[in-house]
């Protein structure tokens, strides 16, 4: 894990992440300060029964057709508007500030009438996890010059997106090599983040509960244990999620899982905490992933 943690020194980044109730979105206003470029895209999703949107940042060197890049997939917080996927500027800025080059993709995680799906597969036309982990990854690998392998894929989420990143990666061990949760949680919650969701059956509830999956991770990740890096962070004053993050850290240690890093930082459940450390956290993730390579 040493190289994955090499960039965990304090860093700052401009831009604001949209993370649900009470959050402020301002990152897109600073997109013109990026050296790379941002674009919009969409694809027909069978999992969601219609078109789903994404935003993409391409690094300044992308014009060189001989280079492929790792991809940082970013999951925004919930509840959120259908346009929340556009809030990738802070992540792109963190990539540029870290000294690395990567593609950044923000996935749409909500829509009108479905503002808090928790990044889960909830039934026909509401299979958000499948749209994210299967369909989106396939689309991005076909449309852009990615490093089209597990080693070149990073999954980062904030708040509900941190829950989504953790759970999706646990369900799809062959897809992502680096996972980060920023002030996330580990079981599905209602829009307030204070009550657990009942998904209808004990099996569905267990499948959506990362605590229940931890004892199975060594088996599920058996071919990838030495090449999977999971980091999660939370604020000292995060009254909703700090205790569960600390509980999860204890459970992962008890399970004997290596390449896991957890830290509590001064701050609350707020963009100021994430913006202060985004460059270091993103840099750490990219240090653990495959670097750009010749196409």
């Amino acid at each position: 894990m040493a190289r994955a943690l090499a960039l965990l020194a304090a860093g700052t980044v401009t831009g604001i992440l949209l993370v649900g109730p009470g959050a402020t979105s301002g990152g897109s206003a600073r997109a013109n300060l990026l050296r790379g470029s941002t674009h919009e895209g969409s694809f027909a999703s069978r999992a969601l029964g219609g078109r789903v949107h994404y935003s993409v940042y391409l690094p300044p060197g992308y014009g060189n057709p001989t280079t492929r890049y790792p991809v940082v997939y970013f999951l925004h917080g919930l509840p959120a508007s259908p346009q929340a996927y556009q809030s990738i500027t802070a992540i792109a800025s963190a990539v540029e500030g870290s000294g690395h080059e990567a593609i950044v993709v923000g996935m749409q995680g909500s829509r009108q009438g479905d503002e808090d799906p928790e990044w889960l597969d909830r039934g026909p036309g509401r299979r958000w996890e499948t749209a994210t982990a299967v369909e989106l990854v396939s689309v991005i690998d076909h449309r852009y010059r990615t490093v089209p392998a597990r080693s070149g894929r990073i999954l980062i989420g904030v708040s509900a997106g941190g829950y989504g990143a953790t759970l999706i990666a646990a369900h799809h061990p062959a897809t992502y090599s680096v996972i980060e949760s920023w002030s996330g949680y580990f079981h599905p919650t209602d829009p307030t983040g204070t009550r657990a969701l009942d998904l209808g059956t004990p099996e569905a509830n267990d499948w959506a509960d990362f605590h229940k999956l931890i004892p199975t991770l060594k088996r599920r990740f058996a071919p990838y244990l030495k090449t999977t890096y999971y980091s999660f962070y939370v604020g000292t004053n995060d009254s909703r999620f700090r205790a569960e993050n600390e509980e999860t850290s204890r459970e992962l240690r008890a399970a004997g899982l290596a390449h896991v890093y957890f830290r509590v930082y001064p701050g609350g459940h707020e963009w100021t905490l994430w913006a202060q450390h985004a460059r270091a956290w993103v840099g750490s993730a990219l240090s653990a992933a495959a670097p750009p390579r010749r196409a």
Side-chain angles (χ1 to χ4, degrees):
M1 191 66 177
R3 68 191 183 102
L5 303 180
L7 295 177
L8 276 173
T12 59
V13 60
T14 54
I16 299 173
L17 305 177
L18 182 64
V19 297
T24 304
S25 177
S28 59
R30 303 190 66 88
N32 61 332
L33 300 181
L34 294 171
R35 291 184 290 111
S37 59
T38 57
H39 309 270
E40 297 270 332
S42 67
F43 60 92
S45 170
R46 294 182 63 183
L48 295 174
R51 296 205 73 80
V52 64
H53 300 268
Y54 64 86
S55 56
V56 60
Y57 157 86
L58 301 177
Y62 192 81
N64 181 348
T66 65
T67 305
R68 290 187 172 274
Y69 297 91
V71 181
V72 178
Y73 289 92
F74 176 67
L75 307 186
H76 59 73
L78 295 166
S81 78
Q83 289 76 43
Y85 68 92
Q86 297 170 345
S87 61
I88 64 169
T89 303
I91 304 299
S93 180
V95 170
E96 292 189 354
S98 74
H100 294 271
E101 287 194 307
I103 295 168
V104 178
V105 176
M107 172 63 175
Q108 181 180 352
S110 65
R111 58 190 171 190
Q112 287 302 134
D114 198 7
E115 296 180 345
D116 188 27
E118 293 287 283
W119 299 101
L120 295 170
D121 279 353
R122 302 288 294 272
R126 297 188 70 202
R127 299 173 63 210
W128 292 93
E129 176 183 327
T130 297
T132 301
V134 180
E135 294 177 335
L136 176 68
V137 169
S138 176
V139 166
I140 298 301
D141 278 347
H142 280 88
R143 292 183 180 178
Y144 303 94
R145 287 200 318 279
T146 69
V147 175
R150 180 181 189 273
S151 61
R153 299 191 194 108
I154 297 163
L155 186 60
I156 296 176
V158 63
S159 192
Y163 164 68
T166 298
L167 196 75
I168 287 172
H171 289 172
H172 301 269
T175 303
Y176 313 95
S177 64
V178 184
I179 307 99
E180 288 190 352
S181 169
W182 299 4
S183 302
Y185 46 90
F186 302 92
H187 67 284
T189 71
D190 71 356
T192 70
T194 60
R195 291 186 297 178
L197 286 181
D198 183 351
L199 300 178
T201 67
E203 294 77 15
N205 289 335
D206 287 353
W207 187 239
D209 188 332
F210 185 64
H211 300 287
K212 299 291 181 65
L213 295 178
I214 287 175
T216 74
L217 293 181
K218 273 195 170 181
R219 173 180 55 82
R220 295 181 56 78
F221 280 80
Y224 314 111
L225 285 176
K226 295 181 179 180
T227 57
T228 301
Y229 301 89
Y230 177 55
S231 300
F232 58 116
Y233 317 113
V234 72
T236 53
N237 301 325
D238 193 331
S239 59
R240 284 182 295 177
F241 302 136
R242 176 178 176 176
E244 189 179 15
N245 274 260
E246 292 174 333
E247 176 189 5
T248 302
S249 176
R250 292 190 295 269
E251 291 171 344
L252 289 167
R253 288 200 307 270
L257 293 165
H259 305 298
V260 172
Y261 181 83
F262 170 62
R263 184 172 173 182
V264 181
Y265 288 81
H269 195 82
E270 56 196 7
W271 77 265
T272 50
L273 170 65
W274 307 316
Q276 181 180 0
H277 299 286
R279 182 185 300 177
W281 294 346
V282 170
S284 173
L286 286 165
S287 291
R293 71 186 191 197
R294 293 186 66 84

